[in-house]
Amino acid sequence: MKVVSRQERGSETRAEGILAAFGIAPDGSVSGAAHGGAFVPDPGGTELKTFNPSTGEVIATVRTAGVDEVGAAALATQNAFLRWRSVPAPRRGEIVRRLGEAFRERKEALARLISLENGKILGEARGEVQEVIDICDFAVGLSRQLYGNQMHSERPGHRLTEQWHPLGVVGIISAFNFPVAVPGWGWALALVCGDSVLWKPSSLTPLISIAAQQVFHEVTAGTEAEGVFALAIGSGATVGEALLADNRIPLIQATGSCDLGERVQSALAKRAGRSILELGGNNAVIILDDADLDLALRAVLFGAVGTAGQRCTSTRRLILQDGIADVFLERLVKAYGTVRIGDPLDASTLMGPLVSSVAVEDFGKGVAAITEQGGDLLAGGGVLADRPGYFVEPTIFASRAE
């Protein structure tokens, strides 16, 4: 493991430049609520501070949405839906194409903001914005392929036709680890299908969602799509619960923990709502004796340390066949020792910080729990407390045979 611990001169200036691309002042205050094609100047929720996980310093303060703003956003997006659903699907696809182009034009600026606020290394952040661009391309094609079946009827002179109709307002609850890509998978398809979108992003990455909302406003202003996007930043207890309870939102797309998924399902079942869930994982890689160990090593290493291990798809378990187990573990431990940990905006960094101080605490609790259960520490296990920010060591434990 190589720790890149230098404090770059001018880091504040660099952050200022990243924020300036979206009109955000360092340590300034911005609105976290938007509907009807504009931000709400003074939303009624509490103030939320967002932190740079590389330094632990405050980046800015977000004025979050209150319950009233959520209700106003739901009404505004419902009204926008009533207009948008009548727009021909290929025309809806054209709006999504323009959105994809706007994200392409702002790709570097958005990626740098993701690295600043989320802690994801810049290469991954660029890839995440590219996912938004790619799903827009995909959705544009679908806008001319919203097919329905035609079937013969048992009645003479009749034919059965299947036609799919827009659903309504789609609520999106997204997580910090993919702050634009995963919600993008939802809104691009929702728009093509004729639906509007009310987005509650993670409170850990609010500035990224505000930047994306700015792009939405710029592209849709003066078009049939103006007002189809709404944003409500706030806590799950306030904004999240309001979305789950609102009958004007027939579908919720939620990304997060399994506990979140249970809460979403429970709340929506009471009002016959629908859900699309992407929840936590406990992913294993199985490596057999005849595997290409070079390929497996690269896959396991980045699968585990990419996004500092904070993805639902992160590699969390290894199941190794006896013939290669010792050799592979030796190589993996050695590879972990070469991982460069540090500033996610530095091109040489492979692993950035965890997203928050709470995540660091959870990491420590996890290490303690595994140790208590008899796990054998092979690599890492420590918090890098000798520098600011939320950095930890990538860690490997061997479990007991039972």
Side-chain angles (χ1 to χ4, degrees):
M1 176 189 63
K2 297 182 179 180
V3 180
V4 184
S5 60
R6 68 170 190 233
Q7 291 294 317
E8 294 192 24
R9 186 178 302 170
S11 60
E12 291 184 4
T13 302
R14 181 181 57 182
E16 183 177 349
I18 293 171
L19 296 172
F22 300 98
I24 301 171
D27 206 17
S29 178
V30 291
S31 172
H35 57 77
F39 283 92
V40 178
D42 190 22
T46 59
E47 288 192 340
L48 169 70
K49 293 188 182 300
T50 180
F51 295 86
N52 179 348
S54 296
T55 65
E57 297 173 341
V58 173
I59 304 174
T61 300
V62 177
R63 304 186 300 277
T64 65
V67 174
D68 289 345
E69 280 80 34
V70 177
L75 178 60
T77 47
Q78 184 184 45
N79 290 335
F81 161 71
L82 296 177
R83 301 189 309 270
W84 180 241
R85 66 180 178 178
S86 298
V87 175
R91 175 61 186 168
R92 300 195 297 253
E94 169 60 16
I95 297 295
V96 173
R97 186 194 67 78
R98 294 182 193 175
L99 286 164
E101 287 302 307
F103 274 84
R104 194 185 307 274
E105 292 169 4
R106 307 291 291 275
K107 179 178 178 178
E108 186 64 17
L110 286 163
R112 293 177 71 81
L113 182 57
I114 290 171
S115 291
L116 177 70
E117 188 179 37
N118 166 283
K120 182 178 295 189
I121 63 173
L122 190 54
E124 287 190 76
R126 288 170 177 147
E128 175 168 352
V129 182
Q130 185 62 46
E131 287 193 45
V132 178
I133 298 165
D134 292 344
I135 196 66
C136 285
D137 287 345
F138 179 70
V140 171
L142 290 182
S143 70
R144 296 180 179 272
Q145 301 178 69
L146 300 178
Y147 305 131
N149 291 319
Q150 288 192 344
M151 296 153 281
H152 292 285
S153 170
E154 62 187 12
R155 300 176 63 188
H158 287 72
R159 180 173 56 189
L160 301 177
T161 300
E162 175 188 67
Q163 183 176 3
W164 296 85
H165 293 279
L167 185 61
V169 180
V170 174
I172 296 180
I173 299 173
S174 62
F176 74 89
N177 54 354
F178 286 92
V180 295
V182 175
W185 300 346
W187 60 251
L189 299 180
L191 258 63
V192 159
C193 291
D195 301 317
S196 56
V197 174
L198 174 47
W199 180 19
K200 181 220 169 298
S202 168
S203 295
L204 293 171
T205 50
L207 299 183
I208 299 166
S209 59
I210 289 170
Q213 189 73 22
Q214 290 179 10
V215 176
F216 300 155
H217 290 171
E218 292 167 6
V219 172
T220 61
T223 73
E224 306 99 318
E226 186 168 11
V228 298
F229 287 104
L231 178 69
I233 296 172
S235 69
T238 301
V239 174
E241 290 296 333
L243 261 64
L244 296 181
D246 199 315
N247 286 321
R248 292 168 294 190
I249 307 174
L251 172 67
I252 297 284
Q253 171 189 309
T255 305
S257 67
C258 294
D259 288 342
L260 170 69
E262 291 180 4
R263 175 61 196 140
V264 170
Q265 289 280 56
S266 174
L268 294 182
K270 294 178 181 179
R271 60 180 182 87
R274 307 181 193 181
S275 65
I276 299 173
L277 301 177
E278 183 182 21
L279 309 176
N282 190 23
N283 309 293
V285 172
I286 301 172
I287 304 176
L288 305 181
D289 288 346
D290 61 351
D292 180 337
L293 295 189
D294 291 334
L295 179 62
L297 182 66
R298 292 194 297 272
V300 169
L301 180 65
F302 192 71
V305 307
T307 322
Q310 298 173 111
R311 298 184 298 226
C312 60
T313 55
S314 290
T315 300
R316 297 184 63 183
R317 295 180 294 142
L318 279 178
I319 301 172
L320 307 175
Q321 197 167 2
D322 287 340
I324 52 88
D326 291 341
V327 172
F328 187 82
L329 277 177
E330 182 180 352
R331 292 183 62 182
L332 184 62
V333 169
K334 184 177 179 180
Y336 264 50
T338 69
V339 172
R340 290 180 64 88
I341 304 171
D343 181 0
L345 289 160
D346 187 327
S348 67
T349 299
L350 181 61
M351 179 177 145
L354 298 183
V355 72
S356 68
S357 59
V358 173
V360 175
E361 292 172 7
D362 289 343
F363 169 84
K365 293 175 183 176
V367 169
I370 297 171
T371 301
E372 185 178 349
Q373 293 167 14
D376 183 15
L377 181 64
L378 304 180
V383 175
L384 302 180
D386 61 340
R387 59 166 301 170
Y390 312 132
F391 294 92
V392 301
E393 296 174 325
T395 300
I396 304 173
F397 275 95
S399 65
R400 293 191 295 188
E402 64 271 22

